[in-house]
Structures are given as C-alpha cells and as structure tokens.
Amino acid sequence: MLVSASDPLGGDRAVVVGGGSGIGASVSRHLSAAGARVAIIDLDPEAAAGVAGEIDGWSAAADVTDPAGVASAIDAAAEALGGLTLACNAAGTSSQSPLARWDPVEWSRLVSVNLHGIYHCMRAEVPHVLAAGGGAIVNVASVSAIRPAAGEGPYAAAKAGVIALSSSAALEYGPMVRVNCVSPGMIRTPMTEPIFAIWPDESARLEAATPMGRIGSPDDVAEVVYFLCSPMSRFVTGQNIVVDGGLTLHGGAIDGIFDRLFPA
C-alpha cells in the first residue's frame, strides 16, 4: 500500500539509483506518491523509463561502476529536477561460489557494483544535497552484511562496507545530510526470483523460518526508505535498519542455498 500523497515530501527532489525494478522501483513510487519529484537512474534504460512514465518522473541510464557516467547522470537529474534533497542508492547484484573458487574478476565485479557503486553515487549526490540546504540519503545494504550465508563472500563483504561507508558519511555531513541504510532480508525481486524458480520448496521453508510468516515484498523495504527520507526520521542518522520479518533471528537470508548449489 502506497503512502498517502498528503505526506510531507512536497517540494523534495529525489534520485533513485537502481530504480528501474525491484526495491528501487517501489521506492520511486512511494517517494512520488508522497509528493516528491523523482529521477530514476538504472543500468536498463527501458526499465528506468517505464517506472518514470508511471510517476511522471525523469530517467536516465548509467552503470554505477562507471564513476564519470553515474556522476553525469546524477548531475543531469539534479538539473532536471532543480536540485536534489533526497537520494536512494539501490543498485546491486549477487552470485555464489565457494571462497577458494571465486574468479577474481567476478569477485571484483561484485564488490565494484555493491560497494564502489554506492560510493560513486554518494560522491555525486552529496554536493547537490548540500547545495539544496540539506536532506537525506538512504543506501540499500543487506542482512548478508550482518549475517552472511555461505557462498556469498564478496557480496556480504561489500554490503558490510556499505553500512560502514554510510555511517562515516553520516558523521562527515551531519547535521545537513542524514545518511542511513536499510538491510533487506529475503525479498521477492528480480534478483531473488531465480531461487524460487529453481527450488520452489524454498518459499515454504523461508515462510516457516520467518516470524512474520511470509517472504518480503519490495514495498516492505520501500516504506522504511520513505520513513528515512521523511521528516519523521529527522533525528535518525548513521543507522542500519533491518527489514527481514525477523528471518535473521534464526539465520541468514539464503542459508542452505550454498549446499544445494555446491553439494559436498
């Protein structure tokens, strides 16, 4: 359920990186429904344009691993919107391998997208938010940062780095800019759907392991991002909010997948 359009983000101007699908798309819709003007940046230009078309937003394509390219896209978004007061960085990717069998090129790719990409985005966003008089940045990390599962070494390490980077930025740029993280657990998105396609029984297992009794949706995360962007969180910065329905009270979000992919 989208937040009410009467909520107080009127006048805010937001950029959502990775906003073409999944959590980022839901964040874009929620911020727009709350009154913000929204620019969507995504690796997939058609996906970005599709979400932008739904919310009368602006869109561009960029690869977060390209610092010049993503900075150019964020600068263009700020120009199109008349500045930036809010940013959500949601681009990410993952894969699995035993630690000693990771291809160094793939390891570097995962760290580059999931950690360096957040840095490249924030580096471009912070000056615009400061120029606008302040605002909020929310980065999407993962429960893998605090409760890693086997087989996701570079992803978990990169997401842990996102939490640390966000805390550091909160110290540097407060009180003008609040910087926080959300750490989703198992959420049904294009990145996680292959798990359920390959192993349909995973749905029942995860539902049983989650105290809230279900797998999360992108809206579950987007509503927390909205809170962190809104005046309701005006005294919240440098925090990581876990959004997992209680799953990590028992274990990691993808515990057991490694053993199915790489049986002993």
Side-chain angles (χ1 to χ4, degrees), residues 87-125:
C88 176
N89 299 310
T93 189
S94 184
S95 60
Q96 285 226 333
S97 174
L99 184 66
R101 287 166 51 186
W102 277 106
D103 181 334
V105 173
E106 176 66 358
W107 177 286
S108 295
R109 183 185 77 87
L110 291 172
V111 174
S112 184
V113 172
N114 292 301
L115 177 57
H116 299 169
I118 296 287
Y119 161 67
H120 296 151
C121 291
M122 291 181 67
R123 180 173 178 268
E125 292 157 355

Side-chain angles (χ1 to χ4, degrees), residues 211-231:
M212 294 303 292
R214 64 178 175 84
I215 295 168
S217 73
D219 284 352
D220 291 323
V221 183
E223 288 170 9
V224 178
V225 174
Y226 163 73
F227 163 72
L228 292 172
C229 288
S230 78

Side-chain angles (χ1 to χ4, degrees), residues 2 15-32 38 40-42 51 55 88-93 138-143 155 159 181-193 215-226 228 241-244:
L2 294 181
V15 62
V16 181
V17 183
S21 65
I23 291 169
S26 185
V27 168
S28 300
R29 296 180 184 113
H30 276 74
L31 296 183
S32 175
V38 181
I40 298 160
I41 297 172
D42 199 277
V51 177
I55 62 174
C88 176
N89 299 310
T93 189
V138 182
N139 295 319
V140 178
S142 169
V143 294
Y155 178 80
K159 291 298 190 179
C181 282
V182 292
S183 281
M186 180 52 71
I187 308 295
R188 285 191 180 272
T189 68
M191 192 170 83
T192 61
E193 280 298 343
I215 295 168
S217 73
D219 284 352
D220 291 323
V221 183
E223 288 170 9
V224 178
V225 174
Y226 163 73
L228 292 172
I241 299 180
V242 173
V243 188
D244 72 343

Side-chain angles (χ1 to χ4, degrees), residues 162-207:
V162 169
I163 295 173
L165 178 65
S166 301
S167 297
S168 180
L171 288 168
E172 292 181 27
Y173 293 105
M176 294 286 286
V177 185
R178 295 183 299 104
V179 185
N180 292 288
C181 282
V182 292
S183 281
M186 180 52 71
I187 308 295
R188 285 191 180 272
T189 68
M191 192 170 83
T192 61
E193 280 298 343
I195 293 173
F196 305 112
I198 297 169
W199 299 294
D201 59 310
E202 278 298 306
S203 291
R205 184 189 72 81
L206 285 162
E207 288 166 3

